[in-house]
């Protein structure tokens, strides 16, 4: 699923209406509206066209800013993260107590947060 907020921002920065972008992609205005609201996925062809129209990477359209390498039990994997998620983790690290609660026992940490904001 592409990031609708990013698509809308890119479209507006380019000075395009939903109808104009739809014409460029060969879809209707309603399809662009659905993409921006993340109610519908564009075709691979449309995604490639958006990459060219807006001169951004497909990763950017999908909301990926960073790829984090994660090692767990001798297995490596790669996790896509937005800039906001990276910033959130950086802020968490500044508060050692909260950071330790969340990362030592994530399930308990989430339950404590839910209870607090509940």
């Amino acid at each position: 699923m592409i990031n609708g907020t990013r698509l809308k921002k890119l479209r507006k920065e380019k000075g395009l209406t939903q109808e104009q972008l739809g014409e460029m992609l060969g879809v209707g205005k309603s399809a662009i509206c659905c993409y921006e609201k993340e109610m519908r996925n564009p075709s691979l062809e449309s995604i490639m066209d958006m990459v060219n129209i807006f001169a951004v990477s497909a990763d950017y359209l999908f909301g990926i800013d960073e790829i984090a390498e994660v090692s767990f039990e001798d297995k490596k994997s790669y996790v896509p993260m937005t800039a906001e998620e990276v910033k959130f983790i950086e802020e968490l690290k500044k508060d050692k107590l909260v950071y330790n609660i969340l990362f030592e026992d994530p399930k308990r940490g989430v339950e404590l947060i839910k209870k607090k904001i509940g």
Side-chain angles (χ1 to χ4, degrees):
M1 173 82 57
I2 65 168
N3 184 298
T5 303
R6 287 190 179 180
L7 176 59
K8 185 175 185 176
K9 180 179 176 239
L10 289 168
R11 178 180 58 76
K12 287 186 172 194
E13 285 175 356
K14 199 86 159 161
L16 298 171
T17 64
Q18 288 180 335
E19 187 173 351
Q20 290 169 324
L21 180 57
E23 287 173 9
M24 296 170 83
L25 298 175
V27 299
K29 174 186 172 184
S30 62
I32 302 302
C33 182
C34 288
Y35 300 160
E36 290 180 356
K37 291 182 179 180
E38 298 180 13
M39 296 170 58
R40 184 172 160 193
N41 288 316
S43 68
L44 181 56
E45 182 179 285
S46 289
I47 292 170
M48 291 186 315
D49 288 342
M50 286 183 226
V51 164
N52 291 322
I53 291 166
F54 299 120
V56 296
S57 69
D59 282 348
Y60 183 81
L61 285 173
F62 287 112
I64 300 168
D65 295 307
E66 302 286 336
I67 303 292
E69 182 179 306
V70 179
S71 296
F72 182 70
E73 295 179 356
D74 296 329
K75 295 180 183 175
K76 283 188 182 179
S77 62
Y78 298 90
V79 179
M81 298 182 74
T82 65
E84 294 81 10
E85 290 169 325
V86 172
K87 186 175 181 179
F88 177 75
I89 292 170
E90 288 172 350
E91 286 300 315
L92 271 178
K93 286 182 175 182
K94 292 177 184 177
D95 188 317
K96 296 292 183 196
L97 177 63
V98 174
Y99 182 83
N100 288 335
I101 289 170
L102 288 172
F103 286 91
E104 285 177 6
D105 188 350
K107 189 173 183 177
R108 177 177 172 254
V110 169
E111 290 303 317
L112 288 171
I113 291 170
K114 283 181 184 178
K115 187 184 237 185
K116 184 70 176 174
I117 63 174

